[in-house]
Amino acid sequence: MEESGYESVLCVKPDVHVYRIPPRATNRGYRAAEWQLDQPSWSGRLRITAKGQMAYIKLEDRTSGELFAQAPVDQFPGTAVESVTDSSRYFVIRIEDGNGRRAFIGIGFGDRGDAFDFNVALQDHFKWVKQQCEFAKQAQNPDQGPKLDLGFKEGQTIKLNIANMKKKEGAAGNPRARPASTGGLSLLPPPPGGKTSTLIPPPGEQLAVGGSLAQPAVAPSSDQLPARPSPAQAGSSSDLSTIFPHVTSGKELPRLGQRKEDEALLSWPVFGA
């Protein structure tokens, strides 16, 4: 991965203290309690910058910005930056003067939040460096990247709950619509091709008119019916003769066997009787 030509600022803390630390005699970690915390050797501003893969911890003067010391960091956590074992506000960093000389000094923050930001800024930078290295490798060898295998393994099965599927489908279906009824009672339509039945009297029965038997009468249409006489005219026999000219008062009605015209007239109902 090529280093970029510009330098970015990762974190700035205006208050930091520098301490001289005794040489470490054993492999155990550093302890801030062994330092003279009430007598710092230097106080100023801390700034973390990044250029390419490298990060730089710079100790500068608060007013003039003059560089007091610088610690290049190539990995974190590592030997360039170490935490102490008895506090989260103090660290040990390795500074370099550019001529090959190195020294370990202690730094500390008065606020725990500043110490947390210092730690997170270094972690994020080297996490980004790791991702960039992986992207560069994948670009050089695209066939070596992980492939997604969606096939079934040997002996692998799946289970489908069909009962629940049928139940959901039945609940989601729309009920069968019924035709809306326009009245209280709905009548069924006649069957296709059917004919309206006429009212026919039972066999063997005949109509009796004036004491004589006659054939069943067929009701005439409304345009053939004679006008209904008024109640005053219904009682007179002379008026009745105008409607039925063959029927006269005081005479018997013609019997069967007479002319067919008489039978047809006798079959008409008598109004006002």
Side-chain angles (χ1 to χ4, degrees):
M1 178 179 175
E2 297 180 0
E3 294 186 359
S4 59
Y6 63 92
E7 187 178 39
S8 61
V9 178
L10 304 180
C11 180
V12 177
K13 293 301 174 183
D15 192 11
V16 65
H17 304 288
V18 176
Y19 302 93
R20 293 180 181 271
I21 60 176
R24 185 168 55 178
T26 60
N27 291 331
R28 66 185 181 88
Y30 292 98
R31 289 175 54 86
E34 298 176 356
W35 309 343
Q36 296 179 357
L37 299 178
D38 56 345
Q39 298 178 1
S41 300
W42 181 86
S43 297
R45 180 181 66 189
L46 180 141
R47 190 161 60 99
I48 303 176
T49 62
K51 188 176 182 179
Q53 297 185 12
M54 294 293 296
Y56 299 90
I57 302 173
K58 297 183 179 182
L59 303 175
E60 302 172 343
D61 187 82
R62 294 193 186 98
T63 305
S64 62
E66 183 181 358
L67 182 63
F68 173 75
Q70 177 177 276
V73 183
D74 56 352
Q75 63 179 0
F76 181 81
T79 57
V81 181
E82 297 182 39
S83 300
V84 299
T85 58
D86 58 346
S87 178
S88 62
R89 296 187 292 116
Y90 297 93
F91 302 88
V92 175
I93 63 175
R94 184 183 62 190
I95 60 176
E96 298 180 5
D97 61 354
N99 297 324
R101 291 185 299 179
R102 299 178 178 178
F104 290 92
I105 61 174
I107 61 173
F109 301 93
D111 188 87
R112 294 184 184 277
D114 294 342
F116 177 80
D117 294 341
F118 169 81
N119 196 13
V120 170
L122 293 174
Q123 288 180 357
D124 290 346
H125 170 70
F126 286 100
K127 187 181 297 183
W128 173 81
V129 170
K130 184 178 179 180
Q131 292 178 353
Q132 295 299 318
C133 293
E134 292 178 355
F135 293 156
K137 292 180 180 179
Q138 292 180 3
Q140 294 177 359
N141 301 314
D143 297 336
Q144 295 181 1
K147 297 181 180 180
L148 184 62
D149 185 10
L150 299 178
F152 283 97
K153 305 297 186 295
E154 184 178 358
Q156 185 178 4
T157 59
I158 60 175
K159 183 179 180 181
L160 297 177
N161 196 344
I162 303 178
N164 290 341
M165 294 174 61
K166 291 183 177 180
K167 184 176 181 181
K168 292 180 180 179
E169 290 177 358
N174 294 327
R176 186 176 180 181
R178 295 182 177 179
S181 177
T182 57
L185 296 177
S186 59
L187 300 178
L188 295 177
K195 296 182 179 179
T196 305
S197 60
T198 57
L199 185 59
I200 302 175
E205 295 185 4
Q206 294 179 344
L207 298 178
V209 180
S212 302
L213 298 179
Q215 296 295 331
V218 179
S221 59
S222 58
D223 54 352
Q224 297 177 357
L225 289 176
R228 182 181 180 90
S230 61
Q233 297 174 354
S236 61
S237 58
S238 60
D239 296 334
L240 188 62
S241 61
T242 60
I243 301 174
F244 301 101
H246 293 81
V247 180
T248 58
S249 59
K251 295 182 180 181
E252 294 184 358
L253 294 176
R255 299 184 181 274
L256 296 178
Q258 294 181 2
R259 293 183 306 170
K260 294 182 180 180
E261 291 81 354
D262 296 340
E263 294 178 358
L265 291 174
L266 291 175
S267 63
W268 283 36
V270 179
F271 294 96

